[in-house]
Amino acid sequence: MSVTRTDQPDAAADADPRRWWGLVVIALAQLMVVLDATIVNIALPSAQRDLGMSDANRQWVITAYTLAFGGLLLLGGRIADLVGRKRTFIIGLIGFAAASALGGAATGSGMLFGARALQGAFAAVLAPSALSLLTTTFTDPKERGKAFGIYGALAGSGSAIGFIVGGLLTEYLNWRWCLYVNIPIAVAAVVGAFVLLHDRPRQAGARLDVPGVLLGCGGLVAIVYGFSEAQPRGWGDPLVLTLFAVGAVLLAAFVWWQSRAPMPLLPLHIVKERNRAGCFLTMGLATIGMFGLFLFMTYYLQVVLGYSPVKTGLGFLPLTAAIIVGSTQISARLMNRVPPRTLMVPGMILASGGMMLLTRMTVDSSYTTEILPALLLMGLGMGLTFMPVFATATAGVAPQDSGVTSATVNTSQQVGGSIGTALLNTIATSSSATYIAAHLHNPAQRALVAKEGVVHGYTVAIWCAAGIMLLAGLVAGLMVTARAPRHGVPAEAPVPEPVG
């Protein structure tokens, strides 16, 4: 039996059931990339003690990954288009596994930071290749809905799965296994890629837009770096302000150059299309709130409620389950029957409602009655939103642009997550300090007031996250005007917009 070729008609694709095994390979690689953004969070205290990291430097275990990932995704997407998606997919897997082994064997903090940055760089090659292969493999609208339902569930739940796996590995083995675990996953995915995945012919005569790489990636790195430094330094610090200014100038120059470059890194017609731009903005705003939630709930469950790493990880399990149900059982079933925004807008409203429920938490809240309902609402909302965002953003894209379009979706997710972590953490920290200063009247109650102040800071930041989620829903409602895909219409054809 021959393996499905993505450049064959849909009838040929329908005759080959092994394309679904190809989806397993793609999903496995995507899960590894997404969960690695959070799997080390729970392991971070152990790694800090083992390697002697300072409190000021420990953030780089997280930031080095997200900074390289978010800043280099556009480059990775264009390389996938120029070199071939299957080839870059395999290169990304091998490089990610090697960087994971280097990090797991780290003998000092600098070695670990460097390994995490390498992981992010190879993830920037791997992630757009995975989404692009998915886009060009499943072109039948009905099958596309199922495939993107699985992919969206992994994209939304992978971070939460990272907390569960991180807790188990840290408690029963050690923190190094949070990195070593990527090696067998990558090996299995490489073998599967060689056997099951096929690629379209590469674009003849194409070249890499070097000025675009320097301007675009440099601007994104400066912006993400600025947000990461805003937490320890403060928003008014000269370095932070300089990074934001440099990032804005570089990105403005990037846009100018892309309108004139003969072979642009990011063809502007990709982001000018209304539905696609709405999906990019919706994804970025949604992940600002989601990543902030992961950060706060990890510390709330471990520090305030005293949960173990494993119990903390299991506490996120209902969120993961709800994302999977919302994505595969609701969005995937409805995507071909209703316009994308009729899933995305209610999804963001549900997620925002879950955030608002969390603002009621106190130093002794009950997980079952106060935390669990909020996590379930959040998960259902994210599941409803992520799948139509991925599917709509990548619909109607020319084959030679599918890699860079996929990279732009992932860029909005990673940059949104980086901004959300820094922004909401800064809001929480400043609100906690203000609360403690106003309520610490008796030194004997310092510990209680400090704990109450921490929770108060979390609730203030969560209110902000809830507002950002509502803004994401508003953006989706106003900008994403695509109709429901019709059965029998190839997914690579542009999704029609309603008249008027």
Side-chain angles (χ1 to χ4, degrees):
M1 183 180 296
S2 62
V3 179
T4 299
R5 298 285 308 216
T6 57
D7 55 345
Q8 296 297 317
D10 289 342
D14 292 339
D16 187 356
R18 288 203 292 175
R19 67 193 177 282
W20 292 103
W21 286 108
L23 173 61
V24 171
V25 174
I26 295 169
L28 191 64
Q30 176 65 15
L31 177 63
M32 181 181 69
V33 168
V34 174
L35 70 83
D36 212 75
T38 56
I39 192 172
V40 299
N41 277 269
I42 293 178
L44 186 53
S46 299
Q48 182 182 1
R49 290 192 302 268
D50 194 13
L51 300 180
M53 284 181 252
S54 67
D55 289 343
N57 288 334
R58 65 185 178 187
Q59 63 158 328
W60 284 105
V61 176
I62 308 300
T63 308
Y65 182 83
T66 57
L67 184 62
F69 195 0
L72 298 175
L73 266 167
L74 279 179
L75 173 61
R78 184 46 86 191
I79 290 174
D81 286 332
L82 300 182
V83 177
R85 291 135 202 156
K86 177 179 177 179
R87 182 177 297 178
T88 53
F89 183 79
I90 293 172
I91 291 172
L93 284 169
I94 294 172
F96 197 91
S100 299
L102 181 66
T107 56
S109 57
M111 185 175 174
L112 180 59
F113 299 158
R116 290 287 287 167
L118 279 176
Q119 280 186 302
F122 282 107
V125 174
L126 177 59
S129 301
L131 184 53
S132 181
L133 284 167
L134 180 66
T135 301
T136 55
T137 298
F138 292 91
T139 56
D140 177 74
K142 186 175 180 180
E143 289 194 344
R144 185 179 173 90
K146 294 178 181 178
F148 273 92
I150 296 170
Y151 188 91
L154 289 173
S157 63
S159 297
I161 294 173
F163 286 114
I164 299 171
V165 175
L168 290 169
L169 293 175
T170 301
E171 188 156 330
Y172 295 111
L173 294 172
N174 62 55
W175 67 268
R176 297 179 185 275
W177 281 96
C178 292
L179 295 163
Y180 287 145
V181 71
N182 293 320
I183 299 173
I185 297 176
V187 170
V190 167
V191 173
F194 274 115
V195 174
L196 298 167
L197 299 181
H198 287 266
D199 202 0
R200 290 181 178 273
R202 287 173 288 174
Q203 188 176 359
R207 293 177 299 170
L208 193 62
D209 175 21
V210 176
V213 170
L214 297 176
L215 293 171
C217 297
L220 284 176
V221 168
I223 294 291
V224 176
Y225 187 24
F227 275 104
S228 70
E229 286 297 302
Q231 176 187 344
R233 294 175 178 270
W235 293 101
D237 183 81
L239 175 62
V240 173
L241 296 177
T242 300
L243 286 168
F244 287 151
V246 169
V249 170
L250 289 175
L251 290 179
F254 171 76
V255 173
W256 172 84
W257 171 251
Q258 294 307 284
S259 66
R260 290 159 176 79
M263 292 185 178
L265 179 67
L266 176 61
L268 293 184
H269 65 265
I270 290 176
V271 293
K272 285 181 178 178
E273 201 275 324
R274 177 174 182 163
N275 293 296
R276 204 166 291 120
C279 288
F280 295 154
L281 284 174
T282 300
M283 174 61 80
L285 291 169
T287 51
I288 286 177
M290 185 179 74
F291 273 65
L293 172 74
F294 289 150
L295 176 69
F296 299 141
M297 291 310 299
T298 298
Y299 279 92
Y300 176 75
L301 294 175
Q302 286 199 65
V303 177
V304 178
L305 297 187
Y307 283 17
S308 67
V310 170
K311 191 174 181 181
T312 299
L314 292 175
F316 284 99
L317 190 58
L319 174 69
T320 305
I323 290 174
I324 294 174
V325 169
S327 186
T328 62
Q329 302 303 310
I330 301 177
S331 277
R333 294 175 184 270
L334 295 178
M335 191 185 78
N336 293 314
R337 297 182 174 89
V338 300
R341 64 178 172 183
T342 60
L343 295 171
M344 295 160 64
V345 174
M348 287 292 90
I349 293 174
L350 277 176
S352 179
M355 286 283 196
M356 292 178 185
L357 286 180
L358 281 178
T359 61
R360 304 182 305 168
M361 66 186 187
T362 64
V363 295
D364 54 0
S365 290
S366 166
Y367 176 86
T368 304
T369 59
E370 297 178 63
I371 307 301
L372 179 60
L375 295 181
L376 291 174
L377 281 178
M378 274 283 299
L380 282 174
M382 287 296 180
L384 283 173
T385 302
F386 277 137
M387 195 276 286
V389 164
F390 281 121
T392 305
T394 55
V397 179
Q400 66 268 21
D401 289 331
S402 63
V404 71
T405 304
S406 305
T408 308
V409 180
N410 281 285
T411 296
S412 63
Q413 184 180 25
Q414 291 300 319
V415 172
S418 300
I419 291 173
T421 300
L423 172 64
L424 297 177
N425 193 56
T426 300
I427 293 173
T429 303
S430 59
S431 299
S432 296
T434 302
Y435 180 94
I436 293 171
H439 292 80
L440 187 58
H441 305 300
N442 183 356
Q445 296 181 326
R446 179 179 296 274
L448 177 61
V449 172
K451 186 176 289 189
E452 290 175 344
V454 168
V455 175
H456 172 76
Y458 292 165
T459 58
V460 170
I462 289 172
W463 272 115
C464 295
I468 294 171
M469 292 281 191
L470 289 178
L471 179 59
L474 180 63
V475 168
L478 294 177
M479 294 186 66
V480 183
T481 57
R483 292 176 178 175
R486 297 177 305 214
H487 290 288
V489 178
E492 289 185 359
V495 179
E497 293 185 10
V499 177

